[in-house]
Amino acid sequence: ASAVDMNTIPSGAISAVEVLRDGASAQYGSDAIAGVINVRLREASDGGAVGVSYGVRKSEYEVPVTPPVAGLPITVGPTISREVEDGEVLTLSAWKGLPLGDSGFLTVAAELKAQEHSERSGYDTRQNYPTPTGGGFDAREAAFNRFNAWTGEPQVDQYTLFANAGFDINESVSLYGWTSYQYRDALSAGFYRRANDARNVIEIYPDGFLPKINPAVTDFSAAAGTRFALGAWDMDTSLVYGSNRMEFTIKDTLNRSIGPTSKKVFYAGGFEYRQAVLNLSGVREYDVGLASPLNVAAGLEYRKEFYEIFAGEPDSYRNGGVLLGGQPTASGAQVFPGFRPANEVDADRDATGVYLDLEANLTDALLVSAAVRGESYSDFGETATGKLSARYDFSDWFALRTSVQNGFRAPSLQQQHFATTSTNFIGGVPFDITTFPVTDPVAIALGAEALDAEKSINYSLGAVVRVGDFSLTVDGYRIDVDDRIVLSENLTAANVRAFLQAQGFIGSGGGRFFINGVDTETQGVDIVADYSFPESSLGKFDVTAGVNFSSTDVTAIPAIPALSVLVPPPELFSRINILTFEEGTPADKYTLAIDWSLGA
């Protein structure tokens, strides 16, 4: 995935967040299948604020502990009542507005976030220590911590700086820009390796170990632009650059194949994504005899993207040759073998887009808008999208709105080029298990094809009620997405390995790759109500309540003809992955927010 990380914008830098609830690929391009979030930055030349927030996670639940390991010297019932309080989150934020001359502003914001990990694991009834000579159990079993996993939120330390500036040169020309920097250090864990686990070296971890993944993320962005008048056109041009680099350190772990001399900490490499976007847009009105002037917006966009994978230190991925019971053991750092030189990637692409947006009141009550956008990608071709929407105001307090549009989501560079390899030993024989790019010869032999864009059709119908300080919106929607890009199951069965070896890929244990082919249908209703109470001596209260009902059904799953000849044919997309789409998001969601402010 390569989604935008909203955490890189500190709350103090934001003045408002606008949500477009229906699809908008025709205006915004790829990824706007189901809507758009527009973050409006704070533009302040004076004032400021300091904020602090604290949160903690509290849970009380029943943990099943049966059946226990036979003979385990622990007396327990069928369940244990557990109360846990952890995952503390402390956030400090501040912003300050500064003047730039007589007609400019500089708003600076900073945020510090510290989060402790949370743990909601089950009770581990497995035998941890090797069976003593003569049988029985090691006496340490009774004191061993049976809640030995990190099932929950990660540990995070995050530092963010943001600056937004603007300056009016004259009445028709203004400059603007922003820059941001964020460093995030996180820590999460894999599964616990018991003392008697074949993946453990008991001389290093006599009680077993919990390997941890420590990604460090550095995010930077900068933008510069100008707004100016060109005849009757209001023009805007900008250049935006952003980069995100993630480097992995694996801690509290070992490389089993190196044996007792293995290190406990490894640098595992990582990846970096960079993007530069050049925009030119204009808007003006034409009087064409309708109930309102025809608003025309048009624009051009050029985007250049870069994606890189870089390898870790050799010990993070190599096999040191130490045997266990005469058999080879797993290569690389436990829980996360490092990226290998063979996985390294340095890819780029460019995309050019052009759009036209028209909007006007056909009558005093009926507003209609239409948009069309064309995109050309250097790596997968061209696509076109369109949108038609309308709003009818029956009165000052009631209106209906509707829209229909087709959309697309281009396959990301990450989905096209990501690669990582680990070594599994099957029957004592080492096999490389790889997440392949679709261009890899092994992936092609398994039936991989060049990724195509995801395609969608979005329908929406809604009502708006506004009476005084009360507003209510009800929006129903349906989104059909075809050819969703998914990661296949690991294709490592014996018949798959034999299939590859017959084609000359000796030593390949198979793996997985990205494929198109999952179709989904999502339907739902959004209801949002807002009321602003009159200001009093107690201050001002704004109350917002919202509810969402939605459901997603998988209507088609992918198939690869090249693998259908195998007996039994491998499973490309399991029931678990189908359930991730259909049950992975809550069907119902309820929110209630109260905002209180007290001013002079």
Side-chain angles (χ1 to χ4, degrees), residues 47-365:
V50 175
V52 59
S53 69
Y54 173 80
V56 64
R57 295 172 171 87
K58 293 186 177 183
S59 295
E60 181 177 351
Y61 59 102
E62 297 292 317
V63 182
V65 296
T66 56
V69 173
L72 189 65
I74 301 174
T75 302
V76 293
T79 61
I80 292 178
S81 295
R82 193 169 188 231
E83 295 184 15
V84 184
E85 179 178 315
D86 59 12
E88 295 90 346
V89 183
L90 175 66
T91 305
L92 304 175
S93 61
W95 69 268
K96 181 71 177 76
L98 303 168
L100 286 181
D102 296 329
S103 59
F105 68 89
L106 171 62
T107 305
V108 181
E111 190 170 273
L112 168 64
K113 177 180 179 180
Q115 173 179 291
E116 297 298 323
H117 81 275
S118 61
E119 185 274 304
R120 297 295 182 273
S121 66
Y123 189 84
D124 189 349
T125 60
R126 299 174 300 170
Q127 178 182 343
N128 184 59
Y129 298 95
T131 301
T133 302
F137 275 84
D138 192 306
R140 293 174 292 176
E141 296 283 359
F144 177 65
N145 176 23
R146 299 287 161 181
F147 294 102
N148 52 29
W150 281 18
T151 305
E153 296 297 318
Q155 177 182 313
V156 177
D157 291 307
Q158 179 175 288
Y159 314 90
T160 311
L161 295 172
F162 203 104
N164 182 40
F167 184 82
D168 294 331
I169 296 177
N170 53 46
E171 292 183 355
S172 59
V173 180
S174 62
L175 304 177
Y176 65 89
W178 70 83
T179 186
S180 71
Y181 173 83
Q182 182 182 86
Y183 178 77
R184 180 187 305 151
D185 189 77
L187 191 67
S188 58
F191 294 113
Y192 190 82
R193 270 67 166 165
R194 294 171 293 157
N196 64 359
D197 195 307
R199 295 168 292 183
N200 182 36
V201 177
I202 205 161
E203 294 89 344
I204 300 177
Y205 296 110
D207 298 314
F209 66 101
L210 182 68
K212 299 182 180 68
I213 305 172
N214 176 206
V217 181
T218 304
D219 190 281
F220 171 78
S221 71
T226 179
R227 301 182 184 95
F228 59 96
L230 183 64
W233 289 86
D234 293 327
M235 305 296 296
D236 191 327
T237 184
S238 63
L239 177 63
V240 183
Y241 172 81
S243 69
N244 185 281
R245 183 179 179 90
M246 179 178 287
E247 300 180 84
F248 292 92
T249 301
I250 314 305
K251 298 181 175 180
D252 299 335
T253 186
L254 53 77
N255 183 331
R256 180 64 184 83
S257 69
I258 295 176
T261 61
S262 170
K263 300 192 305 182
K264 298 181 180 181
V265 177
F266 302 87
Y267 175 71
F271 33 78
E272 182 175 13
Y273 176 71
R274 304 186 305 279
Q275 183 184 96
V277 181
L278 177 64
N279 268 294
L280 174 64
S281 61
V283 60
R284 67 161 295 176
E285 293 182 343
Y286 289 93
D287 190 354
V288 294
L290 299 174
S292 73
L294 175 66
N295 190 81
V296 178
L300 293 166
E301 179 182 274
Y302 174 77
R303 182 171 68 255
K304 187 75 174 180
E305 300 176 66
F306 305 86
Y307 180 58
E308 177 186 358
I309 297 177
F310 42 92
E313 63 175 293
D315 279 359
S316 73
Y317 58 80
R318 75 179 180 93
N319 191 285
V322 173
L323 305 180
L324 178 65
Q327 298 294 328
T329 59
S331 306
Q334 281 295 315
V335 81
F336 192 103
F339 291 100
R340 305 179 179 192
N343 303 140
E344 291 189 319
V345 169
D346 190 359
D348 64 82
R349 74 175 176 192
D350 54 69
T352 303
V354 57
Y355 72 90
L356 176 66
D357 189 319
L358 307 175
E359 182 176 275
N361 276 91
L362 301 187
T363 69
D364 289 339

Side-chain angles (χ1 to χ4, degrees), residues 31 37 56 175 184 210 217 231 273 281 311 354 385 401 405 415 441 454 460 469 471 498 514 520 532 545 548 562 569:
D31 290 349
I37 298 175
V56 64
L175 304 177
R184 180 187 305 151
L210 182 68
V217 181
Y273 176 71
S281 61
V354 57
T385 56
R401 58 192 180 191
Q405 74 124 22
Q415 289 172 327
E454 300 177 342
S460 68
D469 293 324
S471 67
F514 284 97
T520 61
S532 296
N548 169 258

Side-chain angles (χ1 to χ4, degrees), residues 33 405 407 455-459 478-482 484 519-523 553 555:
I33 283 179
Q405 74 124 22
K455 304 172 184 66
S456 72
I457 298 180
N458 183 306
Y459 311 90
R478 173 175 165 173
I479 306 168
D480 296 333
V481 185
D482 294 338
R484 293 184 78 144
D519 297 348
T520 61
E521 177 187 289
T522 299
Q523 300 182 78
D553 294 314
T555 57

Side-chain angles (χ1 to χ4, degrees), residues 353-439:
V354 57
Y355 72 90
L356 176 66
D357 189 319
L358 307 175
E359 182 176 275
N361 276 91
L362 301 187
T363 69
D364 289 339
L366 178 61
L367 175 69
V368 175
S369 63
V372 63
R373 184 183 181 103
E375 296 261 355
S376 177
Y377 284 77
S378 63
D379 56 350
F380 86 92
E382 290 72 38
T383 185
T385 56
K387 177 180 179 180
L388 182 65
S389 60
R391 173 185 169 121
Y392 193 88
D393 290 289
F394 290 88
S395 66
D396 292 339
W397 61 272
F398 179 71
L400 290 178
R401 58 192 180 191
T402 186
S403 71
V404 58
Q405 74 124 22
N406 70 318
F408 78 100
R409 179 187 173 276
S412 68
L413 284 177
Q414 290 87 336
Q415 289 172 327
Q416 295 183 78
H417 298 285
F418 179 79
T420 185
T421 303
S422 61
T423 301
N424 286 4
F425 288 86
I426 304 174
V429 179
F431 289 96
D432 285 341
I433 310 299
T434 301
T435 299
F436 297 104
V438 294
T439 55

